[in-house]
Amino acid sequence: MIAPRATYRLQLNKDFTFARATALVPYLDDLGISHVYLSPILMAHPGSTHGYDIVDHTRINPELGSLDDFRAFAAALHRREMGILLDFVPNHMGVGGADNALWLDVLKYGAASRYADWFDIDWQFGRPGMEGKLLMPFLGASYRDSLLAGDLRLKADGDGLAVWAYDAHKLPIRADDTTLLLERHGSAETVAAAHAGQAGHADSWLPLHRLMARQHWRLAHFSVAADEINYRRFFVNSELAGIRIDRGQVFDHVHKLVFSLVAEGLIDGLRIDHIDGLLDPKGYLDALRARLPRPVYLVVEKILAPHEAIRADWPVEGTTGYEVGAQLTRVLMHEPGEAEVTASYIAFTGDLTPVPEQAYQCKLRVMDNELAAELTALARRLAAIAWSVSATSDLTQAGLRRALRETIAQLSVYRTYAKADGLSSRDGRELNIAIARARRSQSQIQPALFDFIAALLSGRLPAAYDRQAVADAIGRFQQYTGPVMAKGVEDTALYRYNRLAALNEVGAHPERFSLSIAAFHDANRRRLATHPGCLLSTSTHDSKRGEDIRSIIAAIADEPGLWSAAVRDWHAILAPDAAGLHANDLYLFFQLLLGGWPIEGDAADLAQRLRDTMTKSLREARWRSDWGVKNVDYETAFAAFIDRALANESFLASFHPTRRRLQAIGRRKALIQTALKLTVPGVPDIYRGAEDWEQSFVDPDNRRPLDFAALARRLARPLPVRDEKLLLTRALLHFRRRAPQLFAAGSYEPLPAGDNVLAFRRRHGDVQITVFADLSSGHQAGLAEVAPALPTIFGSASGPIWIMAG
């Protein structure tokens, strides 16, 4: 197995197919990429723009092309000595719709389906009438209103009879019911006609209602999922159902096609999505390594706490690099500006809530709402275990739920990893700290409840308790804490605490403002020692903001006084249009406008993109709007405000001078960040288009079409200023190609260069590279006094970056 030199992420979909990717190979080769990093390629829901909603692991997604098309793409890469890193999803499948044959079989046969135990389904849900049923929360209106409106119809197809919701979601009728109805009515068409009611007339829909009541599923409004979902989901997405990859039959089915592609030499590496969603991540990775037909490069999507390192016993090359992106943002953050940046935010918004408190409250918020059903189910499992032994039979389910809720809210990592012999000392420490904090925070909760939870989760319950039930409960706890952290912090708190949006990123922690040069060096040395093949990411398909938006917003810390005065002026100018809008939302908007205004090119589509990203931001923050209960009036008012702001000449006259000054600093930060990512230990990953100025907002904005032909023309005939990031990227990728061992196995040596210069050398044999980066305020102090006279790859002594080889 050989680690890639550099990867390039492509987002495949029906409009960007294998054929389109094949045509791009010469450009990527010219850029200097070694491996194309593909989004999932297995059959997904029709029209999927991301590929994570896989409905059939045994087929290539036909919207992307055929297997032969994929082979042709791989062959085009191989001719240029390039390869493929594939994004692979072992945690969940796409459900709903009409395309997942495994799921449809479960709907038809219930717990008797041969695929029933392939999914994490609780068939004994507590609600009366739900025993043996699967909740289907896919209705846009209440069940009654959907029925009376005629949105639910019985139809015949080749497999028998099925109810269709909105002509999109297929729900098969039980085989016994189908047989009886056909015997009574003679044909499937006659059956369907007999169960077709008249819109608005309840009695006419009674036959269909009674038929549905007998099925292995229950249709419901989408909001019901929060309280009553009875299958494990990917976070809060009911259209992504968790699968039991720990079962041998499921593992074999899910990996069969991918293993064949690896054996054929078409795939050289795998990126494992959402590793923390699996019951036993290490067990899965060990099985994967053992079963792969040949060695491949392997990385996992894993979000690390600031004090956490990737597990040393996981057989992987590293993570997908979220933590590296956070380090790069922070080493370029001007630390002396923190106090004034914080003061500006507080003065504008009045928000004094510390980040840890925000995160804590947001985790409680999602457990009380979107993830309430899963918490209740977990408490029910623990209660059953407690009640089985007299010593703990007085513990109540409600009490255990409260204690679990508080413990999870206090946990500082995404999850722990129990083994057969219990928790490691590190995981035990994380759990003990969380429980101790929970005891202090909620002293009214009976200590015995926390005692039981601590003993159960650490594997210390006596032998009188059912071992398998305890193991199942520990597994479900560990699979639950990650979604709470993701939805509570990433998708809520990071949209609430808007002190500096550059710090609010996946895998980052907004309370951590900056990183010292010494700490940055230490992180690089540790990565080289333990995981030299780790991916290095600055933009991904999961990013909240593109890397150059973050760089420009980070420039605020270099000129906090300028920013503070500017936002006061802008607010005063726009006050008549901002009536009724919250200051925290306005503060985020000003940052997004600053960071998103194109460095090069026009801003013709910026207004619509800002409207879309602000609407999503408002819903993610779950304050003045929400995904479940949308505040359309507020969202509409904010969208109208954006339009009026961008048409306000007085505002623009004030905005652009500040924007130009901060954008110039951000541009220098972006170049330094690019240079560091391409030279420190690890494998640099470039998100589609990020070799150029990457100013995308959160998805789906970062999946919008790219003009690769224009990029190729610019790479062939670059302009020095416009294309400096593109030129820097190509120069360093080509140097990596010429000196692969330098970057695969070379040393990392920090160099003393003063308080405001980050410098290091990498050496392997007679080959070396030396990097100097100006970290002074504004990055304009110059490097002439510290940089040696060596052949220059990029930059100059008067610029923010100087890279030499010798």
Side-chain angles (χ1 to χ4, degrees), residues 704-771:
R704 68 193 191 280
L706 280 179
D707 189 347
F708 283 108
L711 277 173
R713 288 192 298 271
R714 286 171 51 196
L715 192 62
R717 295 181 177 83
L719 298 178
V721 176
R722 180 194 68 180
D723 300 319
E724 57 187 337
K725 185 183 177 186
L726 190 61
L727 288 167
L728 170 61
T729 301
R730 182 172 66 175
L732 287 175
L733 288 178
H734 279 233
F735 185 74
R736 292 181 73 93
R737 177 185 283 166
R738 294 194 301 273
Q741 286 303 305
L742 172 64
F743 294 97
S747 65
Y748 181 87
E749 306 166 19
L751 299 175
D755 294 339
N756 292 317
V757 177
L758 189 162
F760 60 89
R761 176 173 52 236
R762 302 198 65 187
R763 289 192 287 190
H764 185 269
D766 296 332
V767 183
Q768 67 174 304
I769 186 171
T770 307
V771 178

Side-chain angles (χ1 to χ4, degrees), residues 649-662:
E649 293 184 2
S650 296
F651 165 66
L652 294 176
S654 174
F655 169 73
H656 282 304
T658 300
R659 188 266 304 170
R660 283 190 287 269
R661 184 163 173 174
L662 294 178

Side-chain angles (χ1 to χ4, degrees), residues 336-408:
E338 179 175 10
E340 194 168 351
V341 167
T342 304
S344 175
Y345 177 59
I346 293 172
F348 193 92
T349 66
D351 189 351
L352 296 168
T353 310
V355 179
E357 179 65 19
Q358 288 270 27
Y360 166 74
Q361 292 295 339
C362 289
K363 286 194 280 186
L364 293 178
R365 159 70 176 70
V366 298
M367 285 190 282
D368 290 343
N369 294 275
E370 293 90 342
L371 291 168
E374 289 89 346
L375 181 59
T376 298
L378 181 59
R380 189 165 59 246
R381 282 178 178 270
L382 266 65
I385 296 169
W387 298 341
S388 69
V389 175
S390 60
T392 50
S393 60
D394 282 351
L395 301 182
T396 66
Q397 180 176 320
L400 287 166
R401 191 183 191 282
R402 289 195 299 272
L404 279 168
R405 173 181 178 269
E406 189 63 26
T407 298
I408 293 167

